[in-house]
Amino acid sequence: SMYHALTNSVLCYLRAILTMEQPDMALAAELVSRALRVCQRSRRRRFAGLASLRPDSFSDEECHAELCYAELLLESAVLAFVQDETMVSFIRGGLRVRECHQLYRLCFRLLRKRAWSNARLRAQFESGARMGIGAFSLLVSMLPATVLRLLQFIGFSGDRQFGLEQLEAAAAVTDSLRAPLAQLLLASYYANQAQ
């Protein structure tokens, strides 16, 4: 399933990032690639036209596939930056980060506008969508002004207050897989601000 593939890749990704050893990096990249393929099978097909992007036209599985795909793209981008330091790898990673940001924006739109029939699935999705959009917004807002203007020009937005609100909302979702990660991001931010 998507979540099994995502969890497996996250664990290997964390090991690779912590050890920074090439065999761990290669295994993580392979597992992320496999998980992306698993998620791709459940994602909404984009060539169906604008009507296919209406929030209520997405099934629960398609919504979660978009969220998992966004998370995996971010892992893939970080691995690309760390594993290979060439300009091509840097550009490829940057494009993945941009696509990831666009997917998190789609997920946030789905969260706000879609009618959910299952409260538990909505809560899991809400935590992930809020964490993703909040983390991006917070991170971009912390960049220097010149970099921030450039990123805003290519479609990134950075509002620190909005980012913190979304991370706090994600952390408050009980029984969520992503709530502890949102709490960790908030703790990291506040610890950094205290210094």
Side-chain angles (χ1 to χ4, degrees), residues 1-11 31 35 38-39 68 177:
S1 74
M2 285 181 294
Y3 278 101
H4 286 106
L6 174 66
T7 303
N8 193 21
S9 72
V10 165
L11 293 175
L31 290 176
V38 169
C39 291
C68 290
L177 297 171

Side-chain angles (χ1 to χ4, degrees), residues 140-141 143-158:
V140 170
S141 75
L143 295 172
T146 54
V147 176
L148 181 59
R149 280 193 298 275
L150 176 66
L151 290 176
Q152 287 174 336
F153 178 73
I154 59 174
F156 289 90
S157 58

Side-chain angles (χ1 to χ4, degrees), residues 106-121:
L106 171 66
C107 289
F108 192 66
R109 196 173 113 235
L110 290 172
L111 173 66
R112 290 182 300 134
K113 301 206 182 231
R114 185 174 181 272
W116 291 80
S117 58
N118 185 320
R120 187 167 178 231
L121 289 176

Side-chain angles (χ1 to χ4, degrees), residues 3-166:
Y3 278 101
H4 286 106
L6 174 66
T7 303
N8 193 21
S9 72
V10 165
L11 293 175
C12 284
Y13 166 79
L14 289 174
R15 179 180 175 155
I17 293 300
L18 292 173
T19 65
M20 297 300 277
E21 293 190 15
Q22 197 56 37
D24 292 336
M25 296 276 203
L27 178 61
E30 174 60 32
L31 290 176
V32 167
S33 180
R34 273 191 222 161
L36 282 167
R37 286 192 300 271
V38 169
C39 291
Q40 184 64 37
R41 288 194 298 260
S42 299
R43 289 181 71 212
R44 170 60 57 101
R45 303 291 181 247
R46 296 288 192 262
F47 59 85
L50 291 177
S52 69
L53 294 178
R54 285 192 339 265
D56 282 331
S57 69
F58 281 77
S59 69
D60 289 345
E61 183 180 17
E62 288 171 336
C63 289
H64 282 271
E66 295 295 333
L67 182 59
C68 290
Y69 197 82
E71 292 168 345
L72 288 162
L73 273 179
L74 190 57
E75 287 178 27
S76 177
V78 171
L79 284 171
F81 291 140
V82 174
Q83 204 173 14
D84 184 13
E85 297 175 3
T86 65
M87 183 58 86
V88 172
S89 179
F90 182 75
I91 292 170
R92 186 179 300 138
L95 291 172
R96 287 179 187 151
V97 169
R98 184 174 184 275
E99 184 180 357
C100 173
H101 182 254
Q102 289 171 336
L103 286 172
Y104 274 125
R105 287 175 48 184
L106 171 66
C107 289
F108 192 66
R109 196 173 113 235
L110 290 172
L111 173 66
R112 290 182 300 134
K113 301 206 182 231
R114 185 174 181 272
W116 291 80
S117 58
N118 185 320
R120 187 167 178 231
L121 289 176
R122 184 192 189 283
Q124 291 293 334
F125 186 81
E126 177 180 5
S127 181
R130 288 185 186 280
M131 184 190 72
I133 202 72
F136 260 105
S137 192
L138 182 62
L139 180 66
V140 170
S141 75
M142 295 173 68
L143 295 172
T146 54
V147 176
L148 181 59
R149 280 193 298 275
L150 176 66
L151 290 176
Q152 287 174 336
F153 178 73
I154 59 174
F156 289 90
S157 58
D159 180 349
R160 187 170 301 193
Q161 189 59 38
F162 174 76
L164 288 170
E165 288 170 3
Q166 296 311 310

